[in-house]
Amino acid sequence: MTTVDTHRAGLSLQRLSRVDRLLDSYVDRGLLAGTLGLIYRRGETVYCNAFGHRELGSGLPMTEDTIFRIYSMTKPITSVAALMLFEEGHLLLDDPVSNYLPEFEGAQVCTGDLDNLVPPDRLPTVKDLFLHTAGLSYGWDQDSPVENLYRQSFGNREQLPLDKFVQKLAALPLLYHPGTRWRYSYATDVLGRLVEVLSGKSLDEFFRQEIFKPLAMTETAFQVDATSLDRFSACYCPPGGFSFGSDPEPDTETASVSSDEGGRAEEPTIELFEAPRDSRFTKTPVFLSGGGGLVSTIGDYLRFSQMLLNGGVLDGQRLLGPKTVEMMRANHLPADLVPIAIGADAHPGYGFGLCGSVLVDLPATSTPGSVGIYGWGGAASTQFWIDPQEEMLGIFMTQFMPAGYYPVAREFRVATYQAIVD
């Protein structure tokens, strides 16, 4: 619902109705089970509306307190945790990772095949972990024999404690010399382990004590509490299923969807990927993934995003200094590594900072916005972005694998910016 005078926030109420139509259309066409969008500008939540269902089988509606798998929207939280320790003097960004995680001391680079390993031109640094320039990967691609080693090594990653996972990861060759390429990777999971080592706390404990409690993020955790399970959304995928890393294959149960005419569609447009009760997020995690392990609500993620938009402070609780946030949201990649791309999925106009992607070339995006927008998304099609120039942020939530299958997050951005009139 719209909660304030939108004119005061410089948005047109009439034009915001286009956001409603956009998000509702994905539900009405049966492309998504439910959608939830939020727009915040000039200190006010000017838009927050939910459409459809968080679980089709039960008929439970999508609501503002729905709990989502935020996957890689965990990464900015881990980055903030590491930057808090940076501010406390525990590390410098240009320090070699091996200063704190000695398992990386013997890093070798694969130069073509596994029989041709050479020492790196330089050791991967802490900053490389933030930027995904450390020589690591996720094992998704086919362009290096090291990718296959990732697939062989981490089929059971959810059963590995974080320290054991990082030790196993460090034993694999690097895919490239650090700093010479950008590749989306487990780097943020290594950063999470760095937080543990430097703070003396487990990652979940650090998050809870140093970030979630000060920001009153009561719904964000590595596990959905049993008392909140009815608010945990189901996750969906295209017909025929979708394989996500080492996670289980989608359930074969087909979701009930409607055709454009309002009746039941002859062919399903989405299938159930994961029911709430079957999710690993309902179980105590072994692997505390700083790269993708959290669940959250739109309200909690708003508080985290507000803190960043405010320069590191919210309701008197300061997590970071404003100059650190300024550095965090700047593009740190050299021109030859811009734009970033995940596999064949290029992100025209975007570099990368210490907290996610950073818009450096507005025309290249073909989308309205501002130079300096930063943010990131998650594998289940969640996304957030912060625009310091417009004093604005947006959060889009749904649960559909894979991210990018529909252009809905980008369309949400267009619908948001077209509503600005002041």
Side-chain angles (χ1 to χ4, degrees):
M1 64 178 181
T2 301
T3 58
V4 298
D5 178 1
T6 55
H7 181 72
R8 186 173 63 196
L11 284 91
S12 160
L13 182 61
Q14 179 182 10
R15 283 178 167 266
L16 278 174
S17 66
R18 296 175 179 175
V19 182
D20 282 343
R21 291 198 293 273
L22 168 68
L23 300 187
D24 191 36
S25 72
Y26 273 87
V27 174
D28 187 57
R29 289 178 288 161
L31 303 179
L32 295 172
T35 56
L36 178 58
L38 183 147
I39 303 167
Y40 176 93
R41 191 175 191 228
R42 295 178 180 171
E44 303 281 2
T45 298
V46 295
Y47 178 92
C48 187
N49 272 353
F51 301 90
H53 298 84
R54 60 173 173 255
E55 187 177 15
L56 292 170
S58 66
L60 290 170
M62 181 68 74
T63 55
E64 291 179 26
D65 64 352
T66 295
I67 298 171
F68 299 90
R69 304 156 188 79
I70 62 170
Y71 287 117
S72 286
M73 280 169 59
T74 303
K75 287 181 170 71
I77 295 175
T78 304
S79 296
V80 165
L83 286 170
M84 292 170 71
L85 294 171
F86 162 73
E87 286 195 329
E88 291 175 10
H90 291 283
L91 66 116
L92 291 173
L93 296 185
D94 291 332
D95 287 343
V97 176
S98 56
N99 283 12
Y100 312 102
L101 300 175
E103 51 265 49
F104 282 94
E105 284 179 355
Q108 297 281 293
V109 178
C110 178
T111 59
D113 59 62
L114 297 176
D115 293 325
N116 290 297
L117 303 182
V118 299
D121 291 340
R122 65 165 176 80
L123 290 172
T125 65
V126 175
K127 188 174 180 180
D128 285 319
L129 296 180
F130 281 96
L131 298 180
H132 297 276
T133 55
L136 305 177
S137 184
Y138 265 128
W140 295 342
D141 296 304
Q142 306 291 333
D143 58 348
S144 167
V146 181
E147 295 283 348
N148 192 45
L149 290 182
Y150 272 73
R151 290 188 285 272
Q152 294 171 3
S153 300
F154 300 124
N156 67 335
R157 68 179 184 273
E158 302 304 334
Q159 305 306 314
L160 292 171
L162 183 54
D163 59 341
K164 301 299 183 186
F165 171 84
V166 170
Q167 290 170 10
K168 196 171 183 178
L169 178 65
L172 299 179
L174 301 178
L175 274 83
Y176 54 86
H177 291 280
T180 63
R181 294 172 63 183
W182 188 90
R183 177 156 297 200
Y184 201 41
S185 69
Y186 284 119
T188 314
D189 290 296
V190 180
L191 199 61
R193 176 57 184 158
L194 198 61
V195 169
E196 291 189 330
V197 169
L198 295 177
S199 70
K201 301 175 182 178
S202 64
L203 190 60
D204 57 345
E205 183 182 7
F206 188 95
F207 281 174
R208 185 169 53 250
Q209 293 181 0
E210 307 298 333
I211 297 178
F212 300 156
K213 184 177 180 180
L215 295 183
M217 295 171 63
T218 60
E219 306 273 17
T220 307
F222 284 100
Q223 180 182 5
V224 179
D225 188 88
T227 61
S228 304
L229 188 57
D230 64 329
R231 292 190 289 113
F232 186 31
S233 179
C235 190
Y236 296 89
C237 66
F242 168 71
S243 178
F244 178 60
S246 63
D247 289 349
E249 289 296 316
D251 193 298
T252 55
E253 178 185 346
T254 299
S256 174
V257 297
S258 298
S259 68
D260 290 339
E261 289 75 29
R264 186 181 174 97
E266 293 184 5
E267 296 293 334
T269 53
I270 57 176
E271 291 181 359
L272 184 65
F273 175 79
E274 184 181 76
R277 62 188 175 276
D278 298 329
S279 174
R280 63 179 172 85
F281 290 101
T282 65
K283 303 172 178 63
T284 302
V286 175
F287 177 46
L288 297 177
S289 173
L294 292 176
V295 296
S296 189
T297 62
I298 203 166
D300 265 20
Y301 215 87
L302 170 63
R303 294 190 63 78
F304 176 74
S305 302
Q306 283 176 283
M307 178 273 296
L308 293 176
L309 181 61
N310 293 346
V313 66
L314 181 67
D315 295 340
Q317 297 293 318
R318 180 166 291 283
L319 271 62
L320 294 172
K323 298 305 290 185
T324 300
V325 175
E326 182 181 325
M327 178 182 67
M328 179 198 71
R329 61 182 175 83
N331 170 51
H332 288 251
L333 296 182
D336 61 332
L337 298 188
V338 177
I340 60 172
I342 300 176
D345 182 20
H347 295 245
Y350 285 91
F352 211 81
L354 305 183
C355 188
S357 62
V358 180
L359 198 160
V360 296
D361 183 352
L362 181 62
T365 70
S366 300
T367 305
S370 308
V371 169
I373 285 176
Y374 65 104
W376 202 238
S381 303
T382 60
Q383 189 176 100
F384 87 107
W385 43 266
I386 298 173
D387 185 336
Q389 182 175 319
E390 292 292 343
E391 301 175 69
M392 182 169 68
L393 65 89
I395 307 173
F396 173 74
M397 295 289 201
T398 191
Q399 295 283 261
F400 183 89
M401 296 276 201
Y405 189 84
Y406 302 123
V408 58
R410 187 177 182 190
E411 291 169 341
F412 175 65
R413 177 93 61 91
V414 173
T416 297
Y417 278 89
Q418 64 82 36
I420 295 176
V421 292
D422 179 20

